[in-house]
């Protein structure tokens, strides 16, 4: 490798890593559209728990996930303070079938379901309380 090529690599790699990091920080924990339209619905049988009467907060977690405990507390608090909303936590390592179906790429992954089990919002990473409350209101309006 020539000196010029080495300098180019030395400049491009850190720049690419910086761009990747900035994009990831910007998207981390952001609740976005559930995707796939009405195609993605989860049943109480798949979740292993009943759906909430108005909405369900589904969290995919793993044992080594650093932000999963704080996400669990956040979602459980929102569910406890909102009538008809249930929080369901799923061990991603034990439910690989569901992880593949829902396309979970990292933990925590949070899904906000409406009363029929349709995914209306999802986040990869820990969402904020305000985003969760807003998504729950959206799910309950459907």
């Amino acid at each position: 490798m020539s000196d010029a090529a080495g300098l180019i690599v030395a400049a491009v790699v850190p720049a690419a890593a910086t761009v990747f990091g900035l994009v990831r920080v910007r998207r981390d924990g952001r609740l976005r559209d559930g995707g796939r339209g009405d195609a993605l619905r989860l049943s109480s049988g798949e979740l292993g728990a009943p759906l909430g009467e108005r909405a369900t907060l589904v969290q995919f977690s793993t044992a080594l996930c650093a932000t999963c405990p704080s996400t669990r507390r956040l979602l459980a608090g929102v569910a406890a303070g909102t009538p008809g909303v249930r929080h369901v936590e799923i061990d991603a390592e034990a439910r690989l079938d569901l992880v593949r179906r829902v396309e979970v790429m990292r933990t925590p992954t949070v899904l906000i379901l409406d009363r029929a089990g349709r995914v209306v919002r999802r986040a990869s990473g820990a969402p904020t309380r305000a985003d969760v409350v807003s998504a729950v209101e959206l799910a309950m309006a459907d």
Side-chain angles (χ1 to χ4, degrees), residues 34-105:
R36 297 204 268 182
D38 284 338
L40 185 55
R41 289 182 188 265
L42 299 175
S43 68
S44 59
E46 290 174 299
L47 297 176
L51 293 171
E53 293 173 15
R54 301 176 72 196
T56 305
L57 310 176
V58 179
Q59 175 184 350
F60 288 86
S61 300
T62 54
L64 298 177
C65 172
T67 57
C68 288
S70 60
T71 301
R72 177 184 313 117
R73 288 188 297 274
L74 168 71
L75 298 178
V78 170
T82 312
V85 176
R86 176 180 295 271
H87 172 235
V88 177
E89 187 170 8
I90 296 174
D91 179 359
E93 296 167 309
R95 294 295 313 275
L96 292 177
D97 58 325
L98 193 54
V99 164
R100 285 185 200 102
R101 180 168 176 258
V102 177
E103 299 175 358
V104 172
M105 299 296 169

